[in-house]
Amino acid sequence: DAGVTQSPTHLIKTRGQQVTLRCSPKSGHDTVSWYQQALGQGPQFIFQYYEEEERQRGNFPDRFSGHQFPNYSSELNVNALLLGDSALYLCASSLPTDTSEQYFGPGTRLTVT
Amino acid sequence: GESVGLHLPTLSVQEGDNSIINCAYSNSASDYFIWYKQESGKGPQFIIDIRSNMDKRQGQRVTVLLNKTVKHLSLQIAATQPGDSAVYFCAENFYGQNFVFGPGTRLSVLP
């Protein structure tokens, strides 16, 4: 079992650009959550996807959007990048019967210059 | 929104000693708590969890204590090893809503 995988590992973008990050959940998981982790801080919840729909959303602007595909994989899109969007973006997947315990991927390190 | 905080941002312990990492949470209605370990360059890794109807839970070399009266959570690591060096986060959850993470404590194990 590959666990939760994310791509790319690292990414450098310029302010104002758009970025798409990808996540494949752990086998058997159908719920995917995205978190932003700024350097030296704890992860902050962005949103959660289940059955291809956004189920919960944290306090993030509309520039952050997502998608979940029929195979449960997910994308995080960020438009009009700001310097403050530089962070580690984590994807977590969970069991269909218990969303409490989440399994995290290694993250994508986004740097906005 | 509600937040979870930590008393000690850094903790250094001698190899073989016991470690205690503390966490204060603010939402008295939270019903589920998890401790995560995050090593450099990796995502958070589940260590141990506890539900609000318990006050203690033990795992392999780790124990989590929950004091709902003072809204305090602690993680005890027995016989700390070099491989335990990492940042530790507590996270709280309210009835299946999103997890709220604290800022983390860095644990350094000294040889």
Side-chain angles (χ1 to χ4, degrees), chain A residues 7-53:
Chain A
S7 63
T9 306
H10 296 87
L11 202 54
I12 300 175
K13 289 287 189 178
T14 303
R15 192 170 44 184
Q17 286 188 316
Q18 179 264 343
V19 68
T20 297
L21 310 181
R22 296 175 175 82
C23 170
S24 291
K26 183 178 170 67
S27 178
H29 290 188
D30 65 354
T31 302
V32 173
S33 300
W34 286 92
Y35 290 81
Q36 180 194 67
Q37 185 176 23
L39 197 62
Q41 297 183 23
Q44 299 248 322
F45 176 77
I46 303 175
F47 43 53
Q48 183 182 80
Y49 275 84
Y50 171 71
E51 291 189 342
E52 303 180 48
E53 299 218 346

Side-chain angles (χ1 to χ4, degrees), chain A residues 53-95:
Chain A
E53 299 218 346
E54 184 182 291
R55 186 161 70 169
Q56 297 181 46
R57 189 178 182 92
N59 188 25
F60 278 80
D62 291 345
R63 298 187 298 108
F64 289 77
S65 63
H67 187 77
Q68 186 178 35
F69 299 93
N71 66 353
Y72 308 128
S73 66
S74 177
E75 288 183 348
L76 165 66
N77 301 292
V78 187
N79 295 322
L81 284 167
L82 304 174
L83 297 179
D85 295 332
S86 295
L88 180 68
Y89 287 86
L90 295 162
C91 169
S93 70
S94 50
L95 293 164

